Amino acid sequence: STRHTRAAWLKTHHGLSQTRIQQILNEFLPPGAGWTNPDVLRAALWKTPAFLALLTAFESLTTRLPDVVPTQRKGYSAFSRDYQFAALKPVKGGVRIGLAVPPQSDPRLFPAYNERWSERLYSSLTVASPAAVSDLYPLVERAYENS
């Protein structure tokens, strides 16, 4: 496809990561030529105030870090630098957060299995409050540094 050809060209000639390539293509290809509108995906995924508060709390952590690229997928929200370092999706009882750190990094973490996000996200945990999200900053920073 044309989108695939353009993505390959950007990677070969500019050495861009897949996340940055998708951002560029989403910005410059007309609607319908690529991914669905990210704002619509975000609104559909994070539709309850409780879930949105958890996402907003996580986003506030990422604003402390330079060059973070947030992207929206149908089933989760992703955060990258050169590579994806974190992802979030609403689940029963809170939000599941995947991080690019080994599960042994913290007793709250467990191995990430079948989450359908980047294979670089080795661990995950579920949190239910914005305060619990805020407590994750050291892990988020470590995951960011791994990207």
Side-chain angles (χ1 to χ4, degrees):
S1 75
T2 302
R3 187 176 182 89
H4 179 74
T5 303
R6 290 176 180 169
W9 185 88
L10 286 167
K11 185 167 190 74
T12 300
H13 293 281
H14 296 285
L16 298 174
S17 69
Q18 192 64 28
T19 300
R20 298 236 189 244
I21 290 169
Q22 293 308 322
Q23 269 197 316
I24 291 167
L25 294 178
N26 288 342
E27 185 69 28
F28 293 105
L29 290 177
W35 289 354
T36 307
N37 183 329
D39 294 332
V40 171
L41 291 174
R42 178 185 166 106
L45 185 63
W46 302 99
K47 54 189 162 197
T48 69
F51 286 149
L52 188 57
L54 293 168
L55 174 64
T56 302
F58 192 86
E59 289 172 331
S60 74
L61 295 181
T62 66
T63 61
R64 300 183 201 174
L65 303 165
D67 301 321
V68 172
V69 179
T71 54
Q72 186 61 53
R73 309 294 201 280
K74 185 175 180 180
Y76 63 94
S77 296
F79 299 84
S80 305
R81 183 171 64 166
D82 292 331
Y83 302 101
Q84 192 177 121
F85 67 87
L88 286 81
K89 67 179 178 181
V91 295
K92 185 177 180 179
V95 65
R96 173 106 7 94
I97 302 172
L99 295 169
V101 295
Q104 306 86 331
S105 300
D106 189 282
R108 298 171 288 183
L109 298 174
F110 55 91
Y113 294 113
N114 302 318
E115 295 291 352
R116 298 184 185 248
W117 49 41
S118 173
E119 67 280 352
R120 296 175 192 275
L121 305 184
Y122 309 115
S123 60
S124 63
L125 74 159
T126 302
V127 296
S129 72
V133 171
S134 296
D135 289 341
L136 297 176
Y137 183 74
L139 284 172
V140 172
E141 184 178 39
R142 189 175 319 149
Y144 168 85
E145 290 167 356
N146 290 339
S147 71

